[in-house]
Amino acid sequence: MEMKSIYLSIVFAPLIGSILAGIFGHWMERKVAHIVTIGGVAASFVLSLVVFQDTAINGNTFNGNVYTWMVSGGVGFHVGFLVDQLTAMMLVVVSFVSLMVHIYTIGYMQEDPGYKRFFSYISLFTFSMFMLVMSNNFMQLFFGWEAVGVVSYLLIGFWYQKETAIYANLKAFLVNRVGDFGFLLGIAGVLLYFGSLDYAEVFAGTDSVVGQTINIWGDSEWSVMTLICILLFIGAMGKSAQVPLHVWLPDSMEGPTPISALIHAATMVTAGIFMVARMSPLFELSETALSVVLIIGAITALFMGFLGLVQHDIKRVVAYSTLSQLGYMTVALGASAYAAGVFHLMTHAFFKALLFLAAGSVIIAMHHEQDMRHMGGLKKYMPITYWTSLVGSLALIGFPGFAGFFSKDAIIEAVHASNTAGSTFAYIAVLLGVFITALYSFRMFFLVFHGEERFHQAHHHHDEEHDSDVDESHGHGHAPHETPWVVTGPLIALAIPSAIIGALFVEPMLFAGFFGDAIQVKPEHDALAHVGEGFHGVLGFILHGMMAPPFWLAMSGVGTAYYFYMVRPDIPEAIKQRFSGVHALLENKYGFDSFNEIFFAGGSRGIGGLLWKFGDTKLIDGLVVNGSAYSVGKIAAIIRHLQSGYLYHYAFAMIIGLLIMLAWVLYR
């Protein structure tokens, strides 16, 4: 099979599975629906490994169009593939995580009436992500970008009988429209100044655009390159949930756990990170844009981590962790350490998918209870979930040797070596973020798996409050137990790369030019090169890391979590009472949701009400429609007196009219 056919097969295999399960699912058994969708994604994964071997190992790349949609004004709109080292890595990550999520879904959604519909959606989601990462032009990129957004809308609101789910998917949709508007303007700027939407042509034409300025308002001149990059990054802020466009992601936990893993681990939220890395030839030409990316990422990494400390819902803790880790990736992009950001994207995909699916395993065992205050002591009941969760948590906090250690330490070191404006603030933020990450991660771990068994008191509470449409009739009143193999199998499969993949790829991806020309960095921005000067193998990297501040901050976070929640659980409550204002601020998520509700949502409703009451009711209905009718009636009432029906009246009117016309002609 030639490589172009393989590329097409990777893309279309999950699409075919989605169509079969979605359109023909009514006539299928459940088993057939999950077989066709899992089969499609499994085929994509196997073929992705073939592509990875051909591209990343053998060094073969592909850039070509497979279909021309139209040509307008000399600009071609194509469907094409760019398959290089960056694409090959993303294909393997997306397909593997998606495959694990598909298998996991068999166990998690087994009693849900929308079983076949869910499988169709997640396969369609996988297809959309493939189209995004394989695109060689902005048009196809935007198609994949919007497609993952639309399918995520369907998945977040999958349980559409729940008001909270409907609110969450609408919130995700609207917030992402804000980011996507900026993204679309950025693409329009690319087309305007470069005259093409093809990546290769755009990157080759940067010399002609550098130095150009544009007047937006007033007398200020903006660099065209800066403006384009910032607009593109606004799109990434929405999709990859950066402050202030982050508010949709925690609420998206209303969807089933498998999609939480798929959206938050390997696909949608990393699309923005991937896009900025792909656009490195553009971002490298704007110091201002890099600073904006760096500072936004630093704010997200630190302040979203704080919010994880006050969450009680197990899925929301992991969600805020995702926000914080996306901040780390964004910081790396702003420091021009694109390889480190993408490397963290890869490692994070495995351990964050693992943590989400482990959380789902706990939720199943707890009969769909998600409040950590109603858990505890689950270690002896769920050994596989326990040990895989431990692997995921250690990877997340950057414990030496685990996947997250290599990527997170590389980012911190690169930021420290960066000379981009704002790098000092970013370095402090990511360092503090290490402690916060360890604290909320092991707070969750200890509350769920250790300490007092609190789950017996959860059943009554849960029966009263739960309103999901998942059938939960099974298991109430019984002690938790380990979940079936379709749930634990993916956990084990994800735990393996979460433990070892960092050590395997740290050298080639960060210091040996793994990405080749896929990522371009100006020499003066190459912070990773400085970090690489001190790299002396994996063991040396580990030993160096164990003497660096991030390691001790992480261990301090773990120790603090153990002391606070295992030894002295009264201390967190005392801190909460003592700093009630700070706690209220965190509980209120810094007021972002309240501000959006009052200013944007409330303002929009207010403007709508004003337009309805005055514009529609008074102006259009009152003045235009009813006013016109009233005026016509009044005029008609006057004119009708002239229509007497007597012939001599009309004769007199004609004579008078004729006299007036003669007078006008004679005396004008």
Side-chain angles (χ1 to χ4, degrees):
M1 185 184 293
E2 65 172 356
M3 293 309 298
K4 187 182 285 189
S5 300
I6 291 177
Y7 304 149
L8 288 168
S9 299
I10 290 173
V11 171
F12 286 114
L15 178 63
I16 293 169
S18 174
I19 292 171
L20 291 174
I23 298 178
F24 304 104
H26 183 71
W27 297 279
M28 286 183 183
E29 295 183 3
R30 285 186 163 211
K31 185 177 181 180
V32 177
H34 75 235
I35 286 174
V36 296
T37 51
I38 292 174
V41 177
S44 294
F45 172 60
V46 173
L47 294 174
S48 295
L49 292 176
V50 174
V51 171
F52 187 85
Q53 194 272 338
D54 181 67
T55 304
I57 299 175
N58 297 341
N60 298 319
T61 60
F62 175 85
N63 183 16
N65 299 320
V66 296
Y67 175 74
T68 298
W69 179 41
M70 69 173 184
V71 177
S72 177
V75 179
F77 297 85
H78 308 283
V79 176
F81 296 144
L82 170 59
V83 182
D84 55 13
Q85 293 85 348
L86 179 60
T87 306
M89 184 276 293
M90 289 295 296
L91 288 177
V92 173
V93 170
V94 171
S95 59
F96 178 72
V97 173
S98 180
L99 178 60
M100 294 301 105
V101 169
H102 274 71
I103 296 171
Y104 179 94
T105 299
I106 298 173
Y108 193 88
M109 302 292 287
Q110 62 179 333
E111 298 175 6
D112 195 282
Y115 186 86
K116 290 177 281 189
R117 176 166 58 94
F118 189 82
F119 271 102
S120 177
Y121 286 173
I122 58 177
S123 284
L124 185 60
F125 196 101
T126 307
F127 158 76
S128 303
M129 195 65 191
F130 284 153
M131 289 294 288
L132 191 157
V133 300
M134 294 180 73
S135 62
N136 72 342
N137 61 86
F138 284 93
M139 187 201 76
Q140 187 176 329
L141 174 70
F142 190 73
F143 166 79
W145 194 270
E146 292 301 303
V148 294
V150 170
V151 184
S152 71
Y153 172 84
L154 298 173
L155 285 163
I156 294 168
F158 183 79
W159 289 324
Y160 52 82
Q161 291 93 344
K162 293 173 64 179
E163 288 291 333
T164 51
I166 298 301
Y167 177 83
N169 73 349
L170 183 60
K171 187 176 183 179
F173 188 81
L174 292 176
V175 172
N176 272 278
R177 295 293 68 74
V178 175
D180 293 352
F181 181 66
F183 188 53
L184 191 58
L185 288 177
I187 294 174
V190 169
L191 181 59
L192 176 64
Y193 285 95
F194 291 90
S196 175
L197 292 175
D198 184 86
Y199 292 164
E201 293 179 12
V202 171
F203 297 158
T206 53
D207 290 342
S208 62
V209 179
V210 173
Q212 289 195 46
T213 59
I214 183 174
N215 184 276
I216 301 176
W217 64 80
D219 297 326
S220 59
E221 295 286 331
W222 281 66
S223 163
V224 168
M225 193 64 70
T226 295
L227 182 63
I228 288 173
C229 288
I230 289 177
L231 288 171
L232 291 175
F233 180 64
I234 289 172
M237 287 171 64
K239 202 66 73 186
S240 293
Q242 298 295 293
V243 173
L245 300 182
H246 68 284
V247 293
W248 67 270
L249 193 146
D251 285 4
S252 69
M253 296 296 101
E254 291 296 331
T257 298
I259 195 52
S260 299
L262 198 56
I263 291 177
H264 295 154
T267 55
M268 182 171 163
V269 294
T270 59
I273 308 300
F274 167 81
M275 184 273 293
V276 175
R278 175 65 77 197
M279 300 301 138
S280 60
L282 302 183
F283 279 84
E284 283 298 287
L285 300 173
S286 174
E287 297 281 349
T288 304
L290 288 175
S291 286
V292 170
V293 173
L294 184 70
I295 292 169
I296 293 292
I299 293 171
T300 306
L302 178 60
F303 290 96
M304 293 302 104
F306 284 128
L307 297 183
L309 295 172
V310 298
Q311 302 302 313
H312 302 298
D313 186 311
I314 186 172
K315 285 173 64 177
R316 287 184 180 262
V317 176
V318 187
Y320 280 107
S321 166
T322 299
L323 281 171
S324 182
Q325 296 308 304
L326 286 166
Y328 275 86
M329 299 176 208
T330 306
V331 163
L333 301 175
S336 294
Y338 305 98
V342 174
F343 183 42
H344 195 52
L345 182 159
M346 180 186 74
T347 60
H348 174 265
F350 296 116
F351 65 71
K352 187 53 58 72
L354 170 60
L355 287 172
F356 266 117
L357 298 187
S361 178
V362 170
I363 292 169
I364 295 171
M366 291 293 300
H367 319 298
H368 293 267
E369 174 64 61
Q370 297 182 193
D371 195 325
M372 296 186 299
R373 293 171 295 184
H374 301 142
M375 300 178 186
L378 294 181
K379 177 184 177 181
K380 70 177 181 181
Y381 300 101
M382 307 179 69
I384 298 175
T385 303
Y386 172 81
W387 288 109
T388 52
S389 295
L390 180 60
V391 170
S393 299
L394 291 173
L396 172 60
I397 71 169
F399 189 81
F402 289 80
F405 164 78
F406 298 95
S407 53
K408 186 179 284 189
D409 268 36
I411 291 173
I412 295 171
E413 291 293 325
V415 173
H416 188 51
S418 173
N419 54 14
T420 303
S423 57
T424 302
F425 164 72
Y427 180 65
I428 295 170
V430 294
L431 269 183
L432 290 174
V434 173
F435 174 81
I436 301 300
T437 301
L439 180 56
Y440 67 65
S441 298
F442 275 84
R443 167 183 176 262
M444 177 181 69
F445 185 77
F446 291 137
L447 285 176
V448 172
F449 293 106
H450 291 276
E452 179 189 358
E453 296 179 0
R454 301 178 296 275
F455 48 81
H456 297 294
Q457 61 188 283
H459 301 309
H460 176 69
H461 161 86
H462 180 68
D463 289 338
E464 290 182 346
E465 297 189 3
H466 187 75
D467 66 349
S468 139
D469 67 352
V470 178
D471 182 5
E472 300 165 37
S473 61
H474 61 287
H476 275 285
H478 300 289
H481 56 83
E482 190 60 91
T483 44
W485 73 266
V486 289
V487 174
T488 55
L491 295 183
I492 296 169
L494 286 164
I496 295 169
S498 298
I500 67 172
I501 202 161
L504 294 176
F505 284 95
V506 60
E507 184 173 4
M509 283 196 175
L510 298 186
F511 310 119
F514 173 89
F515 293 108
D517 294 333
I519 291 174
Q520 298 179 25
V521 183
K522 293 171 71 174
E524 59 268 30
H525 293 161
D526 199 352
L528 273 180
H530 179 76
V531 178
E533 292 173 1
F535 181 79
H536 303 292
V538 172
L539 184 59
F541 194 95
I542 293 173
L543 292 174
H544 173 74
M546 293 178 69
M547 296 183 288
F551 171 73
W552 296 107
L553 286 167
M555 294 302 97
S556 300
V558 174
T560 303
Y562 179 79
Y563 188 72
F564 277 12
Y565 297 99
M566 292 290 100
V567 181
R568 293 288 303 278
D570 58 300
I571 294 180
E573 188 61 31
I575 294 173
K576 177 183 173 180
Q577 298 299 328
R578 179 68 178 83
F579 299 98
S580 57
V582 176
H583 186 271
L585 180 67
L586 297 177
E587 283 275 10
N588 197 36
K589 307 168 191 173
Y590 304 116
F592 278 105
D593 281 344
S594 301
F595 176 78
N596 290 335
E597 283 285 342
I598 296 170
F599 186 80
F600 290 111
S604 299
R605 287 194 294 267
I607 293 171
L610 186 69
L611 292 174
W612 164 57
K613 289 180 180 178
F614 293 96
D616 189 28
T617 306
K618 294 185 180 293
L619 182 62
I620 297 173
D621 288 345
L623 184 61
V624 177
V625 178
N626 297 333
S628 300
Y630 179 79
S631 301
V632 169
K634 285 292 186 183
I635 295 169
I638 297 170
I639 292 178
R640 70 183 176 86
H641 294 294
L642 302 176
Q643 304 291 327
S644 64
Y646 293 111
L647 186 61
Y648 63 89
H649 285 174
Y650 300 142
F652 276 121
M654 293 173 64
I655 293 168
I656 294 169
L658 182 61
L659 289 173
I660 292 172
M661 290 177 64
L662 289 172
W664 169 258
V665 172
L666 292 172
Y667 296 104
R668 67 191 174 110

